[in-house]
Amino acid sequence: MMKTRFLSMVEIGGRICERFPLIVSDNGEAVIDVMRYMLCLFNEGNSYRSLETYSGHLRDFFAQLAVDGLTPSLMTVDYLNGYKEAIGKRASTQYAAQVLRTVLSFLLWMEEQKLFRGIIGEDCRCAITIKRAPGGAIQHALTKGSASPKSNHFPSDKAISVVKARGPRDCDLADRYKLMVDWCQVKGLRAKEVCGLLLTEVPDLVTIERAISDGRALEITLTVTKGSKPRIIEVHPLLLARTRTWISTARRLIVRRAGERARVAGWVYREPSQVFLSHTGAAALSPRAFSNSVRAAFLSAVADGELSLADRTWAHGLRKAMINREVRARGQKGANQREHALRHETGHGSLASLGRYVVTEQWPDDE
């Protein structure tokens, strides 16, 4: 029997992991290979929530290996096909494909770490032969069907405006919330990316003012992204100016208060490098907290009759709204070139993955 235990607030590579998972056996021994794999994923930029998901998949996998008296070094396609079929019967085919996607990624990591040889790879002589998508994702029949069903809905501009107005009551936190919503709605950032925006990535005020005077956008490089690949985006200087103003006013106040609390408690305060901090200032606002705030604002608007459940607005929906707005605005001439530009802007590995965000059957009424 395998269990998952969590370590709280672990510092890894200069980042704080709020809940780091350990897979342990009945005798309390941790599965070291999985622990090392989780460390690797976190260092690559994965959130603690992703670690929870992947560790859950691998916990069940190792539990099944223990029942069958096997180790990862003995994996075959036939065994994994049987394992996927068993998961599909007790859960769903989509979940089974997601679990196998995690398992294959873990096995490939073990192969690359030379923990075994010839089990998995692009070489046809391997027991499990995979292919790589242009973005680096593993392609194999075992992972087929892992994608979530495509949703034909994204929030309207009207719904987003209502939700944006229903943020925290505290003035400073309300400004933070509105700024984060705008970064997601206007630039299509994921919750992870807006929460990971760094102070060093926001240009100084002089550079911003020059861009405003010249009427041009500024390029910034995001380093906290899905897949941890730096991404260059163009940002309107007015959005950057608002962000820089928040940094020098409300954020500075949050940091000062956090420092005072730390001094009273007798410990050294280390100011986080992220732009958007939690109300305590001890760490960056987490993607889950931001997503929950958008969700709470939407439900509040529904309860007051300002929106209906059909107007569903959520954090990742802000990104989806941005993509559809950009697709809708482009003309037919040079459309393919602009699709590729939008793919790079939003950090999608392929046009197919970008296309999953595009709603083709119906546009919401933004009037």
Side-chain angles (χ1 to χ4, degrees):
M1 182 68 178
M2 295 287 178
K3 299 179 181 179
T4 304
R5 293 179 180 173
F6 293 95
L7 304 178
S8 299
M9 306 303 289
V10 180
E11 183 173 349
I12 303 171
R15 292 173 60 210
I16 297 296
C17 182
E18 297 181 35
R19 281 166 56 85
F20 184 79
L22 289 177
I23 298 176
V24 297
S25 60
D26 284 334
N27 59 12
E29 293 183 356
V31 181
I32 299 301
D33 288 334
V34 174
M35 182 188 74
R36 292 175 59 206
Y37 180 57
M38 293 295 113
L39 288 170
C40 180
L41 291 180
F42 190 75
N43 281 326
E44 290 176 353
N46 284 267
S47 68
Y48 75 91
R49 295 177 64 186
S50 296
L51 299 192
E52 288 183 18
T53 300
Y54 301 146
S55 64
H57 294 167
L58 294 175
R59 177 196 61 217
D60 294 344
F61 176 60
F62 271 85
Q64 188 61 53
L65 290 182
V67 170
D68 297 332
L70 298 174
T71 65
S73 61
L74 298 174
M75 284 302 94
T76 65
V77 171
D78 289 342
Y79 180 83
L80 293 179
N81 271 317
Y83 181 56
K84 179 181 179 181
E85 184 179 352
I87 297 173
K89 287 181 179 179
R90 68 172 186 263
S92 68
T93 54
Q94 180 189 352
Y95 177 72
Q98 291 172 348
V99 171
L100 267 296
R101 183 176 60 190
T102 299
V103 169
L104 290 183
S105 297
F106 170 69
L107 293 176
L108 183 61
W109 175 83
M110 292 191 71
E111 182 88 33
E112 292 171 344
Q113 297 297 310
K114 297 181 173 56
L115 297 174
F116 48 58
R117 292 289 185 90
I119 298 300
I120 183 170
E122 296 180 77
D123 191 323
C124 62
R125 291 171 294 183
C126 291
I128 306 168
T129 305
I130 62 167
K131 292 183 178 180
R132 290 281 198 164
I138 293 176
Q139 293 182 327
H140 192 278
L142 286 164
T143 67
K144 186 176 181 180
S146 61
S148 301
K150 180 178 177 179
S151 169
N152 198 40
H153 171 76
F154 61 89
S156 68
D157 288 345
K158 176 184 175 182
I160 294 173
S161 295
V162 171
V163 168
K164 187 166 69 171
R166 287 177 170 265
R169 293 184 179 180
D170 180 277
C171 182
D172 294 337
L173 299 184
D175 288 344
R176 179 198 66 187
Y177 170 77
K178 290 175 183 177
L179 262 177
M180 296 180 76
V181 169
D182 284 342
W183 274 96
C184 295
Q185 180 192 9
V186 176
K187 298 310 304 175
L189 267 61
R190 301 172 175 89
K192 169 185 176 178
E193 294 169 345
V194 70
C195 290
L197 185 66
L198 302 178
L199 292 169
T200 54
E201 293 167 357
V202 180
D204 60 78
L205 194 55
V206 173
T207 302
I208 293 172
E209 289 176 344
R210 287 176 181 170
I212 293 175
S213 177
D214 296 341
R216 57 183 173 85
L218 287 172
E219 286 188 346
I220 71 170
T221 301
L222 302 177
T223 54
V224 178
T225 64
K226 184 175 183 180
S228 300
K229 295 181 179 179
R231 187 169 85 247
I232 297 174
I233 62 173
E234 287 191 344
V235 185
H236 196 287
L238 290 180
L239 178 58
L240 292 170
R242 287 175 53 211
T243 305
R244 180 54 67 181
T245 298
W246 188 82
I247 290 171
S248 62
T249 55
R251 186 186 183 280
R252 182 175 296 174
L253 182 60
I254 292 174
V255 169
R256 186 187 310 137
R257 290 171 178 170
E260 291 174 355
R261 285 192 296 268
R263 180 178 56 79
V264 172
W267 53 276
V268 178
Y269 174 69
R270 295 181 180 178
E271 180 182 346
S273 58
Q274 291 83 1
V275 170
F276 299 112
L277 305 184
S278 66
H279 70 283
T280 66
L285 188 71
S286 71
R288 175 177 290 180
F290 174 62
S291 297
N292 287 346
S293 65
V294 176
R295 174 68 174 170
F298 167 65
L299 293 178
S300 172
V302 171
D304 290 345
E306 199 168 357
L307 294 176
S308 70
L309 289 175
D311 297 313
R312 186 168 70 93
T313 305
W314 68 110
H316 205 64
L318 303 174
R319 172 180 170 83
K320 190 171 183 180
M322 174 270 187
I323 291 174
N324 280 275
R325 182 183 66 249
E326 294 296 320
V327 170
R328 188 180 187 184
R330 75 174 190 270
Q332 291 300 313
K333 187 177 180 180
N336 185 261
Q337 182 177 354
R338 280 189 287 276
E339 283 178 349
H340 280 285
L342 181 59
R343 178 178 71 81
H344 288 293
E345 174 84 0
T346 54
H348 281 283
S350 66
L351 287 178
S353 61
L354 175 68
R356 293 188 60 79
Y357 283 72
V358 178
V359 174
T360 56
E361 297 178 14
Q362 180 180 351
W363 296 94
D365 183 8
D366 290 338
E367 300 298 320

